[in-house]
Amino acid sequence: MRRLISGLLSLLMLSACGGSTESPIPPAPVYYEVALQLPQYRPLQSPGGIVLVPRSEFEAMRVGARGLALVHALEREEYYAFDLACPVEPYPWVRLELSGLELRCPKCESHFDILSGTGRPTSGIARSPLRRYRAVRLEGQAKLLITN
């Protein structure tokens, strides 16, 4: 019994050192509609397409804490939405930027994987993933709806 308890404690300590699986960025209100046929959203029609939405054009639509990164998954007809707030630098003046096929924080230089849907850090000092908004659905063939 003592070995079992010792093993469980060791496992918990090791997993705690590897980084968090939950973003420290609190959920912010999100309600955003995307008309996929509009030119600015056309990249989302193809797998691996990414579009950044730093602010909403409409008063009624909300885009989280710092804006949204909208992603069309590579291998499935699935979409992801991440907040553009950095888990290390959550200040209002810091917004993640697109760097190739990842998001990058211009302040702490951390990079984040978004194509897999995890938002996990791939380099830099970040240990927590990005805030992911889970309610992303395709309505019909031409409208994407992001809510929380």
Side-chain angles (χ1 to χ4, degrees):
M1 183 66 163
R2 183 177 283 182
R3 263 192 188 153
L4 177 63
I5 292 173
S6 176
L8 287 173
L9 286 175
S10 296
L11 182 62
L12 285 173
M13 288 172 45
L14 283 173
S15 66
C17 295
S20 171
T21 58
E22 181 66 29
S23 176
I25 302 298
V30 173
Y31 180 87
Y32 197 75
E33 296 178 11
V34 173
L36 293 172
Q37 72 274 13
L38 292 177
Q40 65 266 35
Y41 302 118
R42 280 204 186 112
L44 294 174
Q45 293 177 1
S46 301
I50 302 169
V51 171
L52 300 186
V53 181
R55 64 190 60 78
S56 174
E57 307 85 34
F58 304 101
E59 184 69 29
M61 291 199 213
R62 303 280 183 247
V63 293
R66 303 287 173 273
L68 296 171
L70 306 176
V71 182
H72 187 159
L74 278 175
E75 298 178 7
R76 325 180 263 296
E77 193 60 29
E78 189 175 357
Y79 295 87
Y80 311 122
F82 296 96
D83 203 293
L84 292 176
C86 178
V88 176
E89 306 286 346
Y91 309 109
W93 57 87
V94 177
R95 180 177 286 130
L96 297 175
E97 302 169 345
L98 195 57
S99 176
L101 296 174
E102 295 184 319
L103 290 179
R104 179 186 70 82
C105 176
K107 187 154 174 55
C108 75
E109 294 294 325
S110 293
H111 286 242
F112 300 89
D113 170 34
I114 55 175
L115 285 178
S116 70
T118 64
R120 68 177 174 75
T122 59
S123 67
I125 63 172
R127 297 291 170 252
S128 298
L130 300 175
R131 165 66 56 201
R132 179 174 164 195
Y133 295 103
R134 302 248 178 232
V136 180
R137 65 183 177 273
L138 186 61
E139 296 188 338
Q141 293 293 318
K143 183 178 168 185
L144 193 62
L145 181 62
I146 302 97
T147 60
N148 65 344

